Amino acid sequence: MYAQMVKSEGMKSPEEMSPEERAFQERVDRGEKIEPKEWMPEGYRKTLIRQMGQHAHSEIVGQLPEGNWITRAPTLERKAILLAKVQDEAGHGLYLYSAAETLGVSRDELMEKLHSGAMKYSSIFNYPTLTWADMGAVGWLVDGAAIMNQVPLQRTSYGPYSRAMIRICKEESFHQRQGYAIMMKMAQGTPEQKEMAQDALNRFWYPSLMMFGPSDKDSVHSAQSMAWKIKMNTNDELRQKFVDETVPQAKYLGLTVPDETLKWNEERGHYDFAEPDWDEFFEVIKGNGPCNEERLGARREAWDKGAWFRDGLTAYAEKAAARRAASNVAAE
Ligand code: FAQ
């Protein structure tokens, strides 16, 4: 099976729960936040580590496709904006690793799991960014899909995760707008520029739809994660919301969503749309996407090359601690 770490193995009914589990579930149901030192079921803790860890990894690996274009941005202003955006993603990764650490897992352990392939990161970052228009498509669609998923996570039950999300969402909204601004410029530019914008939309549309995860019938974690309010919506609900909001934005740009079946359904009050190729999705998350090797290779190399710096920081911290201990002894 493609799910690696924690599986929702049949949710417990209230009768099957221990008194502690029942009291915990009642707190979650009342909308109370769960804080780091409080009692929580082991499955809740593991599910959060899995989701927050994967989320953090996605932010860090997600710097690579855009980092690829910093040196080739068409103007100084665009370069400064892209640089700031990519730095924001690093910050998001760091808040999320710190929030995950409150659950008793170290950043090194999470990194080790990313590098060994035991933990995932978002499928979207295994696709290449081939032209400058891709910077527009990534901001507009990828950050757009990320916000659609993360705005509800501001209300997630785990306090540190929900608070991290508030700041992340503010920054992601700026990212989405900068992407849309690039797309507007390209779509209103020369015929060649408009074609580049259309080509970027064609390549990023379905991978963006995949970001929300498999369809609900194949989502192994949704039921338990939603009961614990680790997830607030199902994958299909958020995907539909994304399509409904994004299609009018594409129309405004004068671009065509690459889906011939796309049609407003008056009765449902939503767009009908074609599902992504789920075989491709499962291949990508198994490690067989177009850029998986390159992305993980870059992260492993950065980790290895940074060893001297981590060693230096640790040596400095140890010396400082020894000095403090010595001066405490002297003062006694
Ligand atoms: N990619 O049972 P479900 C960003 C895995 S942030 C890879 O439905 P779940 C910002 C899933 O892990 C983007 N794997 O799973 C940015 C599980 O496998 P496992 C990241 C995926 O967790 C923008 C299996 O499939 N956002 O982009 C994906 O309930 C631009 C079964 O699936 C978050 O992480 C996928 N797309 O729902 C940065 C948000 N989908 O772990 C730079 C928080 C599913 O058992 C530039 N996460 N899988 O081995 C979530 O909301 C959820 O974890 C979902 C998946 C919705 C992603």
Side-chain angles (χ1 to χ4, degrees):
M1 213 23 204
Y2 47 83
Q4 290 173 8
M5 291 180 65
V6 193
K7 299 195 178 77
S8 292
E9 282 160 355
M11 287 163 55
K12 288 187 184 171
S13 67
E15 297 73 47
E16 290 166 328
M17 291 179 190
S18 69
E20 267 174 324
E21 286 169 337
R22 228 183 349 261
F24 177 85
Q25 187 62 54
E26 282 163 8
R27 288 190 61 197
V28 170
D29 293 343
R30 282 197 298 272
E32 283 179 32
K33 291 277 178 259
I34 308 300
E35 296 299 338
K37 300 265 161 59
E38 294 173 345
W39 187 86
M40 59 185 77
E42 192 50 21
Y44 177 84
R45 195 181 72 84
K46 282 191 176 156
T47 302
L48 273 173
I49 291 176
R50 180 184 63 80
Q51 182 169 314
M52 291 163 68
Q54 291 184 357
H55 193 165
H57 297 327
S58 304
E59 302 281 358
I60 297 297
V61 178
Q63 294 177 96
L64 297 169
E66 287 171 295
N68 185 32
W69 279 90
I70 291 171
T71 54
R72 290 177 285 168
T75 66
L76 183 60
E77 191 191 7
R78 291 284 180 205
K79 187 181 179 118
I81 295 170
L82 186 61
L83 194 57
K85 189 222 187 255
V86 172
Q87 283 175 340
D88 282 353
E89 307 299 359
H92 298 173
L94 299 186
Y95 313 148
L96 287 165
Y97 286 128
S98 299
E101 280 181 315
T102 65
L103 292 158
V105 63
S106 73
R107 194 176 303 186
D108 283 4
E109 281 172 78
L110 292 173
M111 288 295 180
E112 199 282 315
K113 288 201 162 110
L114 169 69
H115 298 151
S116 69
M119 263 181 114
K120 297 186 169 77
Y121 56 89
S122 182
S123 49
I124 188 72
F125 302 117
N126 293 307
Y127 290 85
T129 44
L130 303 176
T131 72
W132 173 253
D134 289 7
M135 296 303 96
V138 169
W140 171 37
L141 301 174
V142 176
D143 286 275
I147 305 171
M148 197 56 80
N149 168 282
Q150 289 168 21
V151 164
L153 290 180
Q154 294 176 112
R155 291 178 285 113
T156 192
S157 60
Y158 189 54
Y161 193 25
S162 81
R163 289 188 287 272
M165 278 302 133
I166 293 171
R167 170 131 184 213
I168 290 178
C169 283
K170 287 197 175 114
E171 292 176 351
E172 296 289 20
S173 302
F174 157 71
H175 297 169
Q176 197 265 357
R177 277 166 181 256
Q178 70 84 37
Y180 197 68
I182 294 176
M183 289 307 266
M184 265 205 302
K185 196 87 181 162
M186 302 287 290
Q188 290 163 2
T190 63
E192 288 79 11
Q193 286 169 327
K194 186 166 182 188
E195 209 177 297
M196 278 168 72
Q198 180 63 56
D199 173 58
L201 170 57
N202 292 348
R203 284 181 290 106
F204 275 92
W205 177 252
Y206 288 105
S208 299
L209 296 188
M210 293 175 192
M211 286 176 71
F212 297 96
S215 63
D216 290 351
K217 63 179 179 0
D218 292 322
S219 170
V220 284
H221 302 299
S222 282
Q224 179 63 79
S225 290
M226 287 177 70
W228 277 329
K229 296 192 183 165
I230 288 174
K231 254 170 109 161
M232 308 304 285
N233 302 86
T234 74
N235 302 351
D236 286 338
E237 278 168 10
L238 291 174
R239 194 168 9 252
Q240 179 74 64
K241 213 163 173 246
F242 174 75
V243 171
D244 290 347
E245 285 198 12
T246 309
V247 170
Q249 295 169 0
K251 281 195 182 144
Y252 184 78
L253 292 171
L255 300 179
T256 309
V257 172
D259 175 357
E260 284 174 7
T261 68
L262 187 76
K263 197 167 179 283
W264 179 253
N265 183 325
E266 198 61 56
E267 216 170 292
R268 291 198 314 120
H270 293 291
Y271 280 97
D272 290 335
F273 62 97
E275 296 269 317
D277 176 349
W278 291 119
D279 290 340
E280 177 182 319
F281 169 78
F282 289 122
E283 278 306 306
V284 172
I285 68 173
K286 265 197 284 182
N288 303 325
C291 298
N292 294 61
E293 267 182 41
E294 187 185 329
R295 301 295 187 230
L296 259 191
R299 288 311 316 159
R300 288 192 190 116
E301 191 188 345
W303 181 257
D304 292 342
K305 284 191 173 159
W308 68 271
F309 187 71
R310 292 192 302 278
D311 290 348
L313 282 180
T314 310
Y316 178 78
E318 280 167 2
K319 271 191 193 165
R323 264 199 305 272
R324 267 197 310 276
S327 64
N328 285 346
V329 170
E332 274 167 16

Coordinates of all heavy atoms in Angstrom, one line a residue, residues 139-211:
G139 N 2.9 30.1 -8.1 CA 2.3 31.0 -7.1 C 0.8 30.9 -7.2 O 0.1 30.8 -6.1
W140 N 0.3 31.0 -8.4 CA -1.2 31.1 -8.5 C -1.8 29.7 -8.1 O -2.7 29.7 -7.3 CB -1.5 31.4 -10.0 CG -3.0 31.3 -10.4 CD1 -4.1 31.6 -9.6 CD2 -3.5 30.8 -11.6 NE1 -5.2 31.4 -10.3 CE2 -4.9 30.9 -11.5 CE3 -2.9 30.4 -12.8 CZ2 -5.7 30.5 -12.6 CZ3 -3.7 30.0 -13.9 CH2 -5.1 30.1 -13.8
L141 N -1.4 28.6 -8.7 CA -2.0 27.4 -8.5 C -1.5 26.6 -7.2 O -2.3 26.1 -6.4 CB -1.9 26.5 -9.7 CG -2.4 27.0 -11.0 CD1 -2.1 26.1 -12.2 CD2 -4.0 27.2 -10.9
V142 N -0.2 26.5 -7.1 CA 0.4 25.7 -6.0 C 0.1 26.4 -4.7 O -0.4 25.8 -3.7 CB 1.8 25.3 -6.3 CG1 2.4 24.6 -5.1 CG2 2.0 24.6 -7.6
D143 N 0.5 27.7 -4.6 CA 0.2 28.4 -3.3 C -1.3 28.5 -3.1 O -1.8 28.5 -2.0 CB 0.9 29.7 -3.3 CG 2.4 29.6 -3.1 OD1 2.8 29.5 -2.0 OD2 3.1 29.5 -4.1
G144 N -2.0 28.6 -4.3 CA -3.5 28.7 -4.2 C -4.1 27.5 -3.6 O -4.9 27.5 -2.7
A145 N -3.6 26.3 -4.0 CA -4.1 25.0 -3.5 C -3.6 24.9 -2.0 O -4.4 24.4 -1.1 CB -3.6 23.9 -4.3
A146 N -2.4 25.3 -1.7 CA -1.9 25.2 -0.4 C -2.7 26.0 0.6 O -3.1 25.6 1.7 CB -0.4 25.7 -0.3
I147 N -3.1 27.3 0.2 CA -4.0 28.1 1.1 C -5.3 27.4 1.3 O -5.9 27.5 2.4 CB -4.2 29.5 0.5 CG1 -3.0 30.2 0.1 CG2 -5.1 30.3 1.4 CD1 -3.2 31.5 -0.6
M148 N -5.9 26.9 0.2 CA -7.2 26.3 0.3 C -7.2 25.2 1.4 O -8.2 25.0 2.1 CB -7.5 25.7 -1.1 CG -9.0 25.3 -1.3 SD -10.0 26.7 -1.1 CE -9.8 27.6 -2.6
N149 N -6.1 24.5 1.5 CA -5.9 23.4 2.5 C -5.6 24.0 3.8 O -6.0 23.4 4.9 CB -4.8 22.5 1.9 CG -4.3 21.5 2.9 OD1 -3.6 21.8 3.8 ND2 -4.8 20.2 2.8
Q150 N -4.9 25.1 3.9 CA -4.3 25.5 5.1 C -5.1 26.5 5.9 O -5.0 26.6 7.1 CB -2.9 26.1 4.9 CG -1.9 25.0 4.6 CD -0.6 25.5 4.0 OE1 -0.2 26.6 4.3 NE2 0.1 24.7 3.3
V151 N -6.0 27.3 5.2 CA -6.9 28.2 5.9 C -7.7 27.4 7.0 O -7.8 27.8 8.1 CB -7.7 29.0 4.9 CG1 -8.9 29.7 5.7 CG2 -6.8 30.1 4.3
P152 N -8.4 26.3 6.6 CA -9.1 25.6 7.6 C -8.2 25.0 8.7 O -8.6 24.9 9.8 CB -9.8 24.4 6.8 CG -9.7 24.7 5.4 CD -8.6 25.7 5.2
L153 N -6.9 24.7 8.4 CA -6.0 24.2 9.4 C -5.7 25.2 10.5 O -5.1 24.8 11.5 CB -4.7 23.7 8.7 CG -4.9 22.4 7.9 CD1 -3.5 22.0 7.3 CD2 -5.5 21.2 8.7
Q154 N -6.0 26.5 10.3 CA -5.8 27.5 11.3 C -6.7 27.1 12.5 O -6.5 27.5 13.6 CB -6.2 28.9 10.9 CG -5.3 29.4 9.8 CD -5.7 30.7 9.3 OE1 -5.1 31.7 9.5 NE2 -6.8 30.8 8.6
R155 N -7.8 26.3 12.3 CA -8.7 25.9 13.3 C -8.4 24.4 13.8 O -9.2 23.8 14.5 CB -10.2 26.0 12.9 CG -10.6 27.4 12.7 CD -12.0 27.5 12.2 NE -12.1 27.1 10.7 CZ -12.7 26.0 10.3 NH1 -13.3 25.2 11.1 NH2 -12.8 25.8 9.0
T156 N -7.3 23.9 13.4 CA -7.0 22.5 13.7 C -6.9 22.4 15.3 O -6.6 23.4 15.9 CB -5.7 22.1 13.0 OG1 -5.5 20.7 13.1 CG2 -4.4 22.7 13.5
S157 N -7.0 21.2 15.8 CA -7.1 21.0 17.2 C -5.8 21.2 18.0 O -5.8 21.5 19.2 CB -7.7 19.6 17.6 OG -6.9 18.6 17.1
Y158 N -4.7 21.0 17.3 CA -3.4 21.0 18.0 C -2.9 22.5 18.0 O -2.6 23.1 17.0 CB -2.3 20.1 17.4 CG -1.1 20.0 18.2 CD1 -1.2 19.6 19.6 CD2 0.2 20.3 17.7 CE1 0.0 19.6 20.4 CE2 1.3 20.2 18.5 CZ 1.2 19.8 19.8 OH 2.3 19.8 20.6
G159 N -2.8 23.1 19.2 CA -2.5 24.5 19.4 C -1.3 25.0 18.5 O -1.4 25.9 17.7
P160 N -0.1 24.4 18.7 CA 1.1 24.9 18.0 C 0.9 24.8 16.5 O 1.4 25.7 15.8 CB 2.2 24.0 18.5 CG 1.8 23.5 19.8 CD 0.3 23.4 19.7
Y161 N 0.2 23.8 16.0 CA 0.0 23.7 14.5 C -0.9 24.8 14.0 O -0.7 25.5 13.1 CB -0.5 22.3 14.2 CG -0.5 21.9 12.7 CD1 0.3 22.4 11.8 CD2 -1.5 20.9 12.3 CE1 0.3 22.0 10.5 CE2 -1.5 20.5 11.0 CZ -0.6 21.0 10.1 OH -0.6 20.6 8.8
S162 N -2.0 25.0 14.8 CA -3.0 26.0 14.3 C -2.4 27.4 14.4 O -2.6 28.2 13.5 CB -4.2 25.9 15.2 OG -4.1 26.6 16.4
R163 N -1.5 27.7 15.4 CA -0.9 29.0 15.5 C 0.1 29.2 14.3 O 0.2 30.3 13.8 CB -0.3 29.2 16.9 CG -1.4 29.3 17.9 CD -0.8 29.7 19.3 NE -0.1 28.7 19.9 CZ -0.6 27.8 20.8 NH1 -1.9 27.8 21.0 NH2 0.1 26.9 21.3
A164 N 0.9 28.2 14.0 CA 1.8 28.3 12.9 C 1.1 28.6 11.6 O 1.5 29.4 10.8 CB 2.6 27.0 12.8
M165 N -0.1 28.0 11.5 CA -0.9 28.1 10.2 C -1.3 29.6 10.0 O -1.5 30.0 8.9 CB -2.1 27.2 10.3 CG -1.8 25.8 9.9 SD -1.1 25.8 8.3 CE 0.2 24.8 8.6
I166 N -1.6 30.3 11.1 CA -2.1 31.7 11.0 C -1.1 32.5 10.2 O -1.4 33.2 9.2 CB -2.5 32.2 12.4 CG1 -3.7 31.4 12.9 CG2 -2.8 33.7 12.3 CD1 -4.0 31.7 14.4
R167 N 0.1 32.4 10.7 CA 1.2 33.2 10.0 C 1.4 32.7 8.6 O 1.6 33.5 7.6 CB 2.4 33.2 10.9 CG 3.6 33.8 10.2 CD 4.3 34.8 11.1 NE 5.4 35.4 10.3 CZ 6.5 35.8 10.9 NH1 6.7 35.6 12.2 NH2 7.4 36.3 10.2
I168 N 1.5 31.4 8.5 CA 1.8 30.8 7.2 C 0.8 31.3 6.1 O 1.1 31.6 5.0 CB 1.9 29.3 7.3 CG1 3.2 28.9 8.1 CG2 2.0 28.6 5.9 CD1 3.4 27.4 8.3
C169 N -0.5 31.2 6.5 CA -1.6 31.6 5.6 C -1.5 33.0 5.1 O -1.7 33.3 3.9 CB -2.9 31.3 6.2 SG -3.3 29.6 6.2
K170 N -1.1 33.9 6.0 CA -0.9 35.3 5.6 C 0.1 35.4 4.5 O -0.1 36.1 3.5 CB -0.5 36.2 6.8 CG -1.6 36.4 7.8 CD -1.3 37.5 8.7 CE -2.5 37.8 9.6 NZ -2.2 37.5 11.0
E171 N 1.2 34.7 4.7 CA 2.3 34.8 3.7 C 1.9 34.1 2.4 O 2.3 34.6 1.3 CB 3.6 34.2 4.3 CG 4.1 35.1 5.4 CD 5.3 34.6 6.2 OE1 5.8 33.5 6.0 OE2 5.9 35.4 7.0
E172 N 1.2 33.0 2.6 CA 0.8 32.2 1.3 C -0.1 33.1 0.5 O -0.1 32.9 -0.7 CB 0.2 30.9 1.7 CG 1.0 29.9 2.4 CD 2.1 29.2 1.5 OE1 2.5 29.8 0.5 OE2 2.6 28.2 1.9
S173 N -0.9 33.9 1.1 CA -1.9 34.7 0.3 C -1.1 35.7 -0.5 O -1.4 35.9 -1.7 CB -2.8 35.5 1.2 OG -3.5 34.7 2.1
F174 N 0.0 36.2 0.0 CA 0.9 37.1 -0.8 C 1.5 36.3 -1.9 O 1.6 36.8 -3.1 CB 1.9 37.7 0.2 CG 3.2 38.2 -0.5 CD1 3.1 39.3 -1.4 CD2 4.4 37.5 -0.4 CE1 4.3 39.7 -2.0 CE2 5.5 37.9 -1.0 CZ 5.5 39.0 -1.8
H175 N 1.9 35.1 -1.6 CA 2.6 34.3 -2.7 C 1.6 34.0 -3.8 O 2.0 34.0 -5.0 CB 3.0 32.9 -2.1 CG 4.0 33.0 -1.0 ND1 4.4 32.0 -0.2 CD2 4.8 34.1 -0.6 CE1 5.3 32.4 0.7 NE2 5.6 33.6 0.4
Q176 N 0.3 33.7 -3.4 CA -0.6 33.4 -4.5 C -0.8 34.6 -5.4 O -0.9 34.5 -6.6 CB -2.0 33.0 -3.8 CG -2.9 32.3 -4.7 CD -3.9 33.2 -5.4 OE1 -4.0 34.4 -5.1 NE2 -4.8 32.7 -6.2
R177 N -0.9 35.8 -4.8 CA -1.1 37.0 -5.5 C 0.1 37.4 -6.4 O -0.1 37.8 -7.6 CB -1.4 38.2 -4.6 CG -2.9 38.2 -4.2 CD -3.2 39.1 -3.1 NE -4.6 39.0 -2.8 CZ -5.5 39.9 -3.2 NH1 -5.1 41.0 -3.8 NH2 -6.8 39.7 -2.9
Q178 N 1.3 37.1 -5.9 CA 2.4 37.4 -6.8 C 2.4 36.5 -8.0 O 2.8 36.9 -9.1 CB 3.8 37.5 -6.0 CG 4.3 36.1 -5.4 CD 5.1 35.3 -6.5 OE1 5.8 35.9 -7.3 NE2 5.0 34.0 -6.4
G179 N 2.0 35.2 -7.8 CA 1.9 34.3 -8.9 C 0.9 34.7 -9.9 O 1.1 34.7 -11.1
Y180 N -0.3 35.2 -9.4 CA -1.3 35.6 -10.3 C -0.9 36.9 -11.1 O -1.2 37.0 -12.2 CB -2.6 35.9 -9.5 CG -3.8 35.9 -10.4 CD1 -4.3 34.8 -11.1 CD2 -4.5 37.1 -10.6 CE1 -5.4 34.8 -11.9 CE2 -5.6 37.2 -11.4 CZ -6.1 36.0 -12.0 OH -7.2 36.1 -12.9
A181 N -0.1 37.7 -10.4 CA 0.4 39.0 -11.0 C 1.3 38.6 -12.2 O 1.3 39.2 -13.3 CB 1.1 39.9 -10.0
I182 N 2.2 37.6 -12.0 CA 3.0 37.1 -13.1 C 2.2 36.6 -14.2 O 2.4 36.9 -15.4 CB 4.0 36.0 -12.6 CG1 5.0 36.6 -11.6 CG2 4.8 35.4 -13.8 CD1 6.0 35.6 -11.0
M183 N 1.2 35.8 -13.9 CA 0.3 35.2 -15.0 C -0.4 36.3 -15.7 O -0.6 36.3 -16.9 CB -0.7 34.3 -14.3 CG -0.2 33.0 -13.8 SD 0.8 32.1 -15.0 CE -0.4 30.9 -15.7
M184 N -0.8 37.4 -15.0 CA -1.5 38.5 -15.7 C -0.6 39.2 -16.7 O -1.0 39.5 -17.8 CB -2.0 39.5 -14.7 CG -3.5 39.2 -14.3 SD -4.4 40.5 -13.7 CE -3.6 41.1 -12.3
K185 N 0.6 39.4 -16.2 CA 1.6 40.1 -17.1 C 1.8 39.2 -18.4 O 1.8 39.8 -19.5 CB 2.9 40.3 -16.3 CG 3.8 41.2 -16.9 CD 3.5 42.6 -16.4 CE 4.5 43.6 -16.9 NZ 4.0 45.0 -16.8
M186 N 2.0 37.9 -18.1 CA 2.3 37.1 -19.3 C 1.1 36.9 -20.2 O 1.2 37.0 -21.4 CB 2.7 35.6 -18.8 CG 3.8 35.6 -17.8 SD 5.4 35.8 -18.6 CE 5.6 34.4 -19.6
A187 N -0.1 36.8 -19.6 CA -1.3 36.6 -20.4 C -1.7 37.8 -21.2 O -2.3 37.8 -22.3 CB -2.5 36.2 -19.5
Q188 N -1.2 39.0 -20.7 CA -1.5 40.3 -21.4 C -0.3 40.7 -22.3 O -0.3 41.8 -22.9 CB -1.8 41.4 -20.4 CG -3.2 41.2 -19.7 CD -3.3 42.1 -18.5 OE1 -2.4 42.8 -18.2 NE2 -4.4 41.9 -17.8
G189 N 0.7 39.8 -22.4 CA 1.9 40.2 -23.1 C 1.8 39.8 -24.6 O 0.7 39.8 -25.2
T190 N 3.0 39.5 -25.1 CA 3.0 39.1 -26.6 C 2.3 37.7 -26.7 O 2.1 37.0 -25.7 CB 4.5 38.9 -27.0 OG1 5.1 37.9 -26.2 CG2 5.3 40.2 -26.8
P191 N 2.0 37.3 -28.0 CA 1.4 36.0 -28.2 C 2.3 34.9 -27.6 O 1.8 33.9 -27.0 CB 1.2 35.9 -29.7 CG 1.2 37.3 -30.2 CD 2.0 38.1 -29.2
E192 N 3.6 35.1 -27.7 CA 4.5 34.0 -27.2 C 4.4 33.9 -25.7 O 4.4 32.9 -25.1 CB 6.0 34.3 -27.6 CG 6.3 34.1 -29.1 CD 5.8 35.3 -29.9 OE1 5.4 36.4 -29.4 OE2 5.8 35.2 -31.2
Q193 N 4.3 35.1 -25.0 CA 4.2 35.1 -23.6 C 2.9 34.5 -23.1 O 2.9 33.7 -22.2 CB 4.4 36.5 -23.0 CG 5.8 37.0 -23.1 CD 5.9 38.5 -22.8 OE1 5.0 39.3 -23.1 NE2 7.0 38.9 -22.2
K194 N 1.8 34.8 -23.8 CA 0.5 34.2 -23.5 C 0.6 32.7 -23.7 O 0.0 31.9 -22.8 CB -0.6 34.8 -24.4 CG -1.9 34.3 -23.9 CD -3.1 35.1 -24.5 CE -4.4 34.6 -23.9 NZ -5.6 35.1 -24.5
E195 N 1.3 32.3 -24.7 CA 1.4 30.8 -24.9 C 2.2 30.1 -23.8 O 1.9 29.0 -23.4 CB 2.1 30.6 -26.3 CG 1.8 29.3 -27.0 CD 2.5 29.3 -28.3 OE1 2.3 30.1 -29.1 OE2 3.4 28.4 -28.4
M196 N 3.2 30.8 -23.3 CA 4.0 30.3 -22.2 C 3.1 30.2 -20.9 O 3.2 29.2 -20.2 CB 5.2 31.2 -21.8 CG 6.4 31.0 -22.7 SD 7.6 32.4 -22.4 CE 8.2 32.0 -20.8
A197 N 2.2 31.2 -20.7 CA 1.3 31.1 -19.6 C 0.3 30.0 -19.7 O 0.1 29.2 -18.8 CB 0.6 32.5 -19.4
Q198 N -0.2 29.8 -20.9 CA -1.1 28.7 -21.2 C -0.4 27.3 -20.9 O -0.9 26.4 -20.3 CB -1.7 28.8 -22.6 CG -2.7 27.7 -22.9 CD -3.9 27.7 -22.1 OE1 -4.6 28.7 -22.0 NE2 -4.2 26.6 -21.4
D199 N 0.8 27.2 -21.4 CA 1.6 26.0 -21.3 C 1.8 25.7 -19.8 O 1.7 24.5 -19.4 CB 2.9 26.2 -22.1 CG 3.8 25.0 -21.8 OD1 3.4 23.8 -22.1 OD2 5.0 25.2 -21.3
A200 N 2.1 26.7 -19.0 CA 2.4 26.5 -17.6 C 1.1 26.0 -16.9 O 1.1 25.1 -16.1 CB 2.9 27.8 -17.0
L201 N 0.0 26.6 -17.3 CA -1.3 26.2 -16.7 C -1.6 24.7 -17.1 O -2.0 23.9 -16.3 CB -2.5 27.1 -17.2 CG -3.9 26.7 -17.0 CD1 -4.2 26.5 -15.5 CD2 -4.9 27.7 -17.5
N202 N -1.3 24.4 -18.4 CA -1.6 23.0 -18.9 C -0.8 22.0 -18.0 O -1.3 21.0 -17.7 CB -1.1 22.8 -20.3 CG -2.0 23.6 -21.3 OD1 -3.1 24.1 -20.9 ND2 -1.6 23.8 -22.5
R203 N 0.5 22.4 -17.7 CA 1.3 21.4 -17.0 C 1.0 21.4 -15.5 O 1.2 20.3 -14.9 CB 2.8 21.7 -17.3 CG 3.2 21.2 -18.7 CD 4.7 21.5 -18.9 NE 5.0 22.9 -19.1 CZ 5.6 23.6 -18.2 NH1 6.1 23.1 -17.1 NH2 5.8 24.9 -18.4
F204 N 0.6 22.5 -14.9 CA 0.4 22.5 -13.5 C -1.0 22.2 -13.0 O -1.2 22.1 -11.8 CB 1.0 23.8 -12.9 CG 2.4 23.8 -12.7 CD1 3.4 24.2 -13.6 CD2 2.9 23.2 -11.5 CE1 4.7 24.0 -13.4 CE2 4.3 23.1 -11.3 CZ 5.2 23.5 -12.2
W205 N -2.0 22.2 -13.9 CA -3.4 22.0 -13.5 C -3.6 20.7 -12.7 O -4.0 20.7 -11.5 CB -4.3 22.1 -14.7 CG -5.7 21.9 -14.3 CD1 -6.5 20.8 -14.6 CD2 -6.6 22.8 -13.5 NE1 -7.8 20.9 -14.1 CE2 -7.8 22.2 -13.4 CE3 -6.4 24.1 -13.0 CZ2 -8.9 22.7 -12.7 CZ3 -7.5 24.6 -12.3 CH2 -8.7 24.0 -12.2
Y206 N -3.3 19.6 -13.4 CA -3.6 18.3 -12.7 C -2.7 18.0 -11.5 O -3.2 17.6 -10.4 CB -3.6 17.2 -13.7 CG -4.8 17.2 -14.6 CD1 -4.8 17.7 -15.9 CD2 -6.1 16.9 -14.1 CE1 -5.9 17.8 -16.7 CE2 -7.2 17.0 -14.9 CZ -7.1 17.4 -16.2 OH -8.2 17.5 -17.0
P207 N -1.4 18.3 -11.6 CA -0.5 18.2 -10.4 C -1.1 19.0 -9.2 O -1.0 18.6 -8.1 CB 0.8 18.6 -10.9 CG 0.9 18.3 -12.3 CD -0.5 18.6 -12.8
S208 N -1.6 20.2 -9.5 CA -2.2 21.0 -8.4 C -3.4 20.3 -7.8 O -3.6 20.3 -6.6 CB -2.6 22.4 -8.9 OG -1.4 23.1 -9.4
L209 N -4.2 19.7 -8.6 CA -5.4 19.0 -8.1 C -5.0 17.9 -7.2 O -5.7 17.5 -6.3 CB -6.3 18.5 -9.2 CG -7.0 19.6 -10.1 CD1 -8.0 18.9 -11.1 CD2 -7.7 20.6 -9.3
M210 N -3.8 17.3 -7.6 CA -3.3 16.1 -6.8 C -2.9 16.5 -5.4 O -2.8 15.7 -4.5 CB -2.2 15.4 -7.5 CG -2.5 14.8 -8.8 SD -1.0 14.1 -9.6 CE -1.6 13.7 -11.2
M211 N -2.5 17.8 -5.2 CA -2.0 18.2 -3.9 C -3.0 17.9 -2.8 O -2.6 17.8 -1.6 CB -1.7 19.7 -3.9 CG -0.5 20.1 -4.7 SD -0.4 21.9 -4.7 CE 0.1 22.3 -3.0

